[in-house]
Amino acid sequence: MNHSTQPIIQSVKNLGRLDRRHFMAFAGALSAIPVLSRSSFATRSPVFQSNPFTLGVASGDPDAKSVVLWTRLAPEPKVPGGGMSPETVEVKWEVAEDDSMKKIVASGKSIATIALGLSVHVVVSGLEPIRWFWYRFQAGDAVSPVGRTRTLPTADSTPEKLNFAFASCQNYEQGLFTAYEQMAQDELDLVFHLGDYIYEYEAGRNGKIRTHLGAEINSLDDYRIRHAQYRADPLLHGMHAKCPWFVTWDDHEFDNNCAGDISEEVGVATATFLARRAAAYQAYYEMMPLRAACLPKGPNMLLFRSASFGKLAQFQILDTRQYRSDQPNFDKKSPLNDSARSTTQSMLGNQQRDWLFDKLKQTDAQWNVLAQQVMMGMFMSNGDPTNPAYSMDQWPGYAAERVKLMQTVKDLKVSNPIVLTGDIHSNWANELRIDDTRSESPLVATEFVGTSISSGGNGAQNPANLDKIYSANPGVRFHNAERGYVRCQVTPKSWQSDYVVVDQVTKPGGKSSVRAAFVVESGNPKIQKA
Ligand code: FE
Ligand code: CA
């Protein structure tokens, strides 16, 4: 037993200032309580009629000595309350050095609270760096599947290699999560999910491969059930059990094309929209292996954060939805006019931008990664230079801030900047200039955009107008619209991105292959064929 009890002592000290309901939420979020007397809790040790671990287990946000372990009790994940009676439940957890759970290195008890949807978030600390661990939960007589997780290298170490994948956009109605079958074979240290983890739409809107339950989601129960419907997928929770994930959201975890507190629909009152956002963010927190720092406060939730893989790579995980100003031109495509280039347009918001620029100032990592949502390459989508059209929901709608970000990266001589992106259901490899519309503007970074897991159905190897896209956008070095994810191998000398694709997601048994692989050598942001 070498896990720290520090957070617990903290929570006990704070108890006097919190009412009981909030303490329950707080304790549940911080979890893990060997020293805490539970005499005041109405916990029980239930006997389950059916498996309460239908949503599997997950881990996330590791550092060199700790990691978040997650589960949520839901014998019937698709009904309100998950088929549980509304009582808190004590959940035991164990961490071992071996997959047979014999050499236990940490264990404890946590409380699954009603306030947080009977989810469990345990921060296990005092772990050895850069090691695999196995974990499981027990509630009453039910034992969870065993998950595997990993700590990161220490900040001052110089790791020789990092293997990870990033994914996004998994519309349940449009396809199966077959891509995760291959990902589970990849022996990855980490996974990044860059958003559109769920889609908010009503049943039948997007397809019939599988159907969402109910109307477009709005209430906390709606969001909880939608998340549960997705996570009950064995390929999805199976991949969560394989290694730790860092997750961030895009728009569909809440509402399509949301921008700050502004709906894409005209006439939605701010208070109504924020009440819905509070429900969406709480359900997201409950379902994800996130630290207590992310615990939502009403309609706000701090999701941007940093992670270091020793001195090899530093990741800034961004939230380009919660703080952004409204899209110009009512979200529709537009030339890069004064509205798009206005200096009052912000994708990041002041606080996140200041934080990011500070991080970029301080970093001494070899590779500096922005793990974010929408495409940064200023891609002219119609290929018509006389009347060019750019997506106002992506970075071109915030062009001044994007230019400022790239200029800052260049001025600070940030080592090997790499941008990772999701959102648009297609693969891209882009060379980023300070301003991509000006060919004399210096090349500063490389962007890898990963396609969707399932959104858009089977997709196409060669999308329409491919020649036009390449000729109108010299920074675009690769584009493809099949389903899949991107697998990255990072060493001090080079970065390789493999575009893993699956040949179909509309039927089980899709086959995976690597459609293309690109390399960036340290010191040179140019994209080269692997
Ligand atoms: Fe999407
Ligand atoms: Ca999106």
Side-chain angles (χ1 to χ4, degrees), residues 165-183:
F166 64 96
S168 63
C169 294
Q170 43 197 36
N171 191 311
Y172 188 81
E173 294 200 330
Q174 291 179 328
L176 306 173
F177 299 161
T178 310
Y180 286 124
E181 245 168 12
Q182 176 60 46
M183 197 190 280

Side-chain angles (χ1 to χ4, degrees), residues 169 196 199 252 423-425 455:
C169 294
D196 292 356
Y199 283 75
H252 289 287
D423 176 51
I424 56 169
H425 312 170
S455 303

